Amino acid sequence: ERRGHKNVDAALAALHFHLLMRGIEYHDACGRAPLPRSLSVFKDREEEGRDSLLMAELREMVMQAGEARLEGRLIVDRFAAVDSKENIPVQLADLYTSSVARVLNAKGKRNSPKETKGSSGISS
């Protein structure tokens, strides 16, 4: 929920950071992706200036947390905002997250082919 946050950009940066760190710590603990490991993060480019600042701040926070919480076992590599038109994995991630958001935020009757259960999306 965006309401209640005076600075939405700062809230989103904190959210990105916490999701990354929890994911890294979880996958290290369960052995699925044990550290040491290199980390690169890419996001879909929206606004060049805002994206550059977000990725620089996020990289710095992850580097500091990697030293403090992960005993330097996380190698922080590239953090960048990329154009999804040129990056298939970012397109897939966008499709997945928008689908999850659509389900989580659904309200009322669903009439469009995107939202109708069992719909092929093909109209006659």
Side-chain angles (χ1 to χ4, degrees):
E1 183 67 47
R2 289 181 184 225
R3 269 188 317 223
H5 295 284
K6 290 183 181 182
N7 185 337
V8 174
D9 289 339
L12 289 174
L15 178 63
H16 279 92
F17 170 74
H18 290 293
L19 287 172
L20 277 171
M21 292 311 298
R22 286 184 182 168
I24 292 164
E25 290 168 340
Y26 170 79
H27 286 92
D28 180 47
C30 75
R32 186 176 295 161
L35 297 175
R37 182 167 293 275
S38 176
L39 175 70
S40 292
V41 176
F42 300 94
K43 76 171 279 307
D44 193 3
R45 184 181 305 137
E46 296 172 41
E47 294 180 26
E48 191 171 340
R50 187 176 73 188
D51 290 340
S52 294
L53 181 59
L54 169 65
M55 297 310 281
E57 288 178 349
L58 187 56
R59 186 175 192 278
E60 184 64 30
M61 291 188 312
V62 170
M63 284 177 61
Q64 290 175 6
E67 288 295 323
R69 291 166 49 177
L70 304 171
E71 301 157 350
R73 296 178 300 137
L74 179 66
I75 299 126
V76 177
D77 197 9
R78 187 169 174 217
F79 278 53
V82 297
D83 188 348
S84 64
K85 292 177 188 173
E86 302 166 3
N87 193 309
I88 299 295
V90 173
Q91 287 180 27
L92 291 171
D94 186 40
L95 179 64
Y96 177 77
T97 54
S98 62
S99 298
V100 170
R102 184 175 296 279
V103 170
L104 293 176
N105 297 317
K107 292 181 179 126
K109 191 173 180 183
R110 297 176 177 205
N111 293 324
S112 82
K114 289 182 180 179
E115 297 170 337
T116 305
K117 194 173 193 176
S119 172
S120 67
I122 299 171
S123 58
S124 49

